[in-house]
Amino acid sequence: MVTAATALRLIVGAHLPLSEDEAYYRLWAAAPAFGYYDHPPMIAWWIWSGTRIAGDTALGVRLLPILGCAASSLLVFDLARSAGGTGLQPLWAAILYNAMPLIAAGGLLAVPDAPASLFWVGTLWCALRAQERESNRWWMAAGAAAGLAVLSKYSALFLAPGILLWLASTPARRARLGTVGPWLAAAIALALFGLNAGWNATHHWVTFARQFGRVAATRFAPRYLAEFLAGQALLLNPFVAWLAARSLGTRGGREAPGVTFLAATSAPFVLYLVVHSLHDRVQGHWPAPLYAAVAIVAAFAPAAPRLRLVAAAFCVAVIGGALAVVAAPGLFASPIAALALPIRGWPAFVRAVERDRLAGGAAWVATQSYGLTAELAAAPGINAPVFELYDRARYDALRLPPPDLSRPGLVIDLARRVDDRVLAACFASVTDLADLERGRPGEARRLYRVRLVSRPRTDILGRGCPR
């Protein structure tokens, strides 16, 4: 099952164009470091490694995330067995994990959740063995996995209080806190996290400010809680969510060996997500590292063989439909077909941008968003430097070719983003060019404004244009 799912992800991943975020992380991989503007560095390291194996291609960018998803599935299987799963329960845990739409589809994407999910479940896998075998070596492995998880996403910091909560839950486990093992794990995890903390200390704490700045509550908006719960029910797979709730709602499920471990280690992060949803939106992918625990708990649901089959069938239908929309959006109504637009029409659009650049004598191309910058930089066909006019701090440590600002340039972005007043404050000369569209005839399209600009009035590469 894992082999088949991995093979499918490799095939789709090799042919599916990069999303904006994936293309952006690809830029990071060209300049390996211990930190970046938006996230810790692990996804950049993975992309760097994958492109050394499979080339600077979509498959190269996604290779390690796809293999990481396969490794996560195997760990889910073995963790379910170690957590007390019997008979086919460990196998069903792995199947249900891959039957979650977020994992089934997101398992091929090169995003920080990929390494974060792998190292999160790896930490649980090692910690359970450390406790069972009273092994300091396994505790050290758990600490290394936790440190790598934090180098993937800061949400992995919730692993520490989760494991502490689990150890404190019984007298026998509390005794382990008096031994060296858990503290060795904490020291190793902290040392690995220190690599990124040190980078932040020399870069104005930029990643910390960006990520931890979300924690502060500035309003009370409980509507986001309902949105969070409904969205997670869909991304988990409604049937998997029901199985997990059923498992926790029955005495037999709650008392199943390992459920306490999974619930305790997940509780701090779940609590944070619920609190966050009371004042702001929780992005659907944030809880991804918790999905392994949910799959195992769902597999432990008593007397539910048919519902497990329905859960698997539901995911096959959803992913099959999504692939059909991506492959042939013209067969679907406009609102559904538009879902494929972010990854369609790029080759023809890039050719049109390059045509306008050459016709206008532009020596560079600028955008007003990181996503379009990354997409144009990743696409073959634009033979000039590409950079963003705003948020210049994103690119401080990246090795992007510098533009010759003494020559004219082309500014392009979605129509809603282009403000001619801003461009006039930024450049002495701004000339309108014909709009461009991205998309195929008969399908949904996006409109882009194009401007030929020259003679910057400000430090474009240093401070960027004023908003």
Side-chain angles (χ1 to χ4, degrees):
M1 183 273 297
V2 173
T3 302
T6 302
L8 179 60
R9 289 188 181 107
L10 287 170
I11 294 170
V12 175
H15 294 88
L16 196 69
L18 297 178
S19 67
E20 288 188 349
D21 282 350
E22 290 178 295
Y24 177 50
Y25 301 138
R26 171 190 165 274
L27 295 179
W28 293 6
F34 287 118
Y36 297 92
Y37 180 78
D38 302 83
H39 287 291
M42 188 60 68
I43 187 59
W45 297 352
W46 276 28
I47 292 173
W48 183 91
S49 301
T51 53
R52 293 305 177 278
I53 298 170
D56 188 10
T57 62
L59 180 60
V61 170
R62 293 172 172 143
L63 181 61
L64 262 66
I66 292 172
L67 297 180
C69 188
S72 295
S73 302
L74 296 175
L75 287 173
V76 166
F77 171 84
D78 202 56
L79 182 58
R81 186 169 55 184
S82 299
T86 58
L88 294 177
Q89 287 178 336
L91 177 60
W92 272 113
I95 292 173
L96 294 178
Y97 181 67
N98 284 273
M100 298 170 169
L102 183 66
I103 301 301
L108 62 84
L109 299 179
V111 292
D113 302 282
S117 296
L118 172 62
F119 294 125
W120 184 293
V121 70
T123 302
L124 302 185
W125 187 74
C126 294
L128 194 56
R129 275 162 175 69
Q131 174 64 15
E132 290 174 346
R133 303 178 186 184
E134 299 184 357
S135 167
N136 288 340
R137 290 183 179 180
W138 278 111
W139 276 117
M140 293 169 68
L148 295 175
V150 177
L151 288 178
S152 304
K153 284 193 82 171
Y154 293 145
S155 54
L157 290 168
F158 288 102
L159 275 167
I163 291 176
L164 182 61
L165 179 63
W166 167 60
L167 289 175
S169 61
T170 68
R173 285 195 288 270
R174 281 197 294 274
R176 292 297 297 170
L177 293 172
T179 65
V180 70
W183 306 109
L184 276 174
I188 292 172
L190 188 62
L192 287 170
F193 178 43
L195 298 174
N196 179 247
W199 181 90
N200 270 277
T202 60
H203 290 78
H204 311 290
W205 304 101
V206 61
T207 326
F208 284 11
R210 184 164 178 79
Q211 293 296 329
F212 297 131
R214 297 172 172 173
V215 175
T218 58
R219 57 180 173 172
F220 180 63
R223 68 181 183 278
Y224 291 121
L225 176 59
E227 178 186 294
F228 167 58
L229 296 176
Q232 287 307 302
L234 292 173
L235 292 172
L236 280 167
N237 182 325
F239 301 99
V240 174
W242 172 252
L243 283 168
R246 180 175 176 178
S247 182
L248 294 174
T250 61
R251 182 176 179 180
R254 289 194 303 272
E255 294 178 354
V259 169
T260 300
F261 167 70
L262 296 168
T265 52
S266 302
F269 190 26
V270 171
L271 179 61
Y272 165 74
L273 292 171
V274 169
V275 172
H276 188 94
S277 71
L278 294 176
H279 70 87
D280 204 352
R281 176 170 285 112
V282 173
Q283 298 299 323
H285 59 88
W286 288 2
L290 300 173
Y291 278 32
V294 175
I296 296 171
V297 172
F300 288 173
R306 292 183 180 178
L307 201 55
R308 293 171 187 155
L309 288 171
V310 172
F314 173 83
C315 184
V316 169
V318 170
I319 299 305
L323 290 175
V325 171
V326 169
L331 299 178
F332 298 86
S334 181
I336 297 176
L339 297 175
L341 187 54
I343 59 172
R344 290 182 67 82
W346 286 105
F349 177 72
V350 168
R351 288 194 296 271
V353 172
E354 179 67 357
R355 180 198 65 215
D356 282 0
R357 184 188 72 81
L358 293 174
W364 43 269
V365 176
T367 78
Q368 295 178 274
S369 59
Y370 78 89
L372 183 57
T373 298
E375 289 281 14
L376 294 179
I382 295 183
N383 301 309
V386 180
F387 68 99
E388 183 188 347
L389 290 176
Y390 300 149
D391 291 335
R392 293 301 307 159
R394 288 181 182 274
Y395 310 94
D396 284 347
L398 303 185
R399 298 169 188 165
L400 300 179
D404 181 1
L405 295 176
S406 66
R407 298 177 59 191
L410 202 68
V411 174
I412 181 169
D413 216 303
L414 291 172
R416 59 181 171 82
R417 291 182 183 145
V418 175
D419 188 331
D420 286 329
R421 293 171 300 176
V422 172
L423 292 179
C426 213
F427 298 95
S429 174
V430 179
T431 304
D432 293 1
L433 299 182
D435 294 342
L436 294 179
E437 289 186 332
R438 181 172 59 80
R440 299 184 180 182
E443 299 178 4
R445 292 185 168 195
R446 284 187 176 168
L447 182 68
Y448 293 81
R449 302 277 188 235
V450 186
R451 302 290 186 264
L452 185 67
V453 300
S454 61
R455 290 176 288 154
R457 298 180 188 271
T458 63
D459 180 7
I460 300 297
L461 294 183
R463 294 179 297 177
C465 284
R467 286 192 180 275

